[in-house]
Amino acid sequence: DCDIQDPSNLEGDRGPAAHDLTHVLSASFVVPLPFGAGKRFDSSNKVVNQIIGNWQFNGIVSLDSGRRYDVHTDTVISNTNNVDGTERVNVIGDPHAGGTKIHPLNKDAFEDPDSFTFGTMGRNSLRADWNKNLDLSIFRSFSITESKRFEFRAEAFNATNTPVFSAPNTNFHSHNFGVVSSTANTERQLQFGLKFYF
């Protein structure tokens, strides 16, 4: 959100960028599974080893802080004709008191500023739900010759099917103010593929 509330007081709009993610964690792992010929769990049977061997388990974990936002109200209040700007509300209580995932804001914590004034809420001073995601995959190689092989892969994106909720409606005068109506990620997706290396 880069709108200016008071063009005569740019200092009043100092705050985090809308894309600020204060904390970010990304980790991945690759685990060759210990089954098959020459591995820890060798069945001593060529057919069984061919079935259970050459599998690889992979994962990517992503965590980060929620997206920034603030609460807007009617720009007419300031009477500055700042039609391209914004007017934020006054904060008079704890914005998160009693909040839930779908209704994260305490509506009683906000009020309209007095006429000809600007709101006290800081720019991008609130955060939406934090992001958490786990992608998993399992690969299997089938050797044909020394330089050619097939690779089967099964992949699960957002494997835990965990929702990440978007920011709520931030229009103070909307009947849906403070309500989250969508998610910021997609539901679990499964994908299968076959790749030929040569």
Side-chain angles (χ1 to χ4, degrees):
D1 183 355
C2 294
D3 292 336
I4 301 300
Q5 178 174 247
D6 182 0
S8 300
N9 179 25
L10 298 183
E11 193 69 20
D13 275 275
R14 288 181 64 88
H19 57 268
D20 169 72
L21 296 175
T22 305
H23 303 101
V24 177
L25 171 66
S26 182
S28 61
F29 59 87
V30 176
V31 181
L33 298 183
F35 305 106
K39 304 290 180 63
R40 180 178 180 184
F41 300 102
D42 185 337
S43 74
S44 301
N45 182 295
K46 288 185 178 180
V47 175
V48 174
N49 278 343
Q50 183 64 24
I51 295 172
I52 66 175
N54 298 318
W55 288 94
Q56 175 181 301
F57 185 56
N58 317 284
I60 301 175
V61 179
S62 302
L63 307 171
D64 62 61
S65 305
R67 297 288 178 177
R68 294 281 190 169
Y69 70 97
D70 49 46
V71 176
H72 296 175
T73 187
D74 194 341
T75 56
V76 173
I77 292 173
S78 61
N79 197 36
T80 60
N81 197 30
N82 186 18
V83 293
D84 292 325
T86 186
E87 172 87 5
R88 294 189 292 272
V89 294
N90 285 339
V91 180
I92 57 173
D94 180 357
H96 301 295
T100 65
K101 290 292 187 181
I102 304 302
H103 299 88
L105 295 180
N106 170 22
K107 298 181 180 181
D108 295 329
F110 311 104
E111 68 175 10
D112 277 326
D114 292 334
S115 298
F116 314 114
T117 66
F118 295 98
T120 61
M121 168 169 272
R123 184 174 72 93
N124 293 330
S125 55
L126 301 175
R127 278 196 188 275
D129 191 20
W130 61 289
N131 178 61
K132 48 271 187 192
N133 186 72
L134 173 64
D135 296 332
L136 297 175
S137 62
I138 188 166
F139 293 2
R140 168 66 158 88
S141 291
F142 301 87
S143 296
I144 301 173
T145 67
E146 197 170 305
S147 61
K148 297 179 177 62
R149 63 186 173 90
F150 280 102
E151 182 183 78
F152 166 76
R153 56 176 63 196
E155 299 167 308
F157 303 98
N158 186 13
T160 58
N161 205 32
T162 301
V164 176
F165 295 97
S166 298
N169 184 314
T170 60
N171 181 347
F172 187 54
H173 291 284
S174 169
H175 68 281
N176 285 326
F177 169 64
V179 178
V180 173
S181 59
S182 64
T183 57
N185 66 340
T186 57
E187 65 277 7
R188 181 193 297 119
Q189 296 180 328
L190 302 178
Q191 177 175 290
F192 300 92
L194 187 64
K195 182 183 288 188
F196 177 55
Y197 291 88
F198 60 93

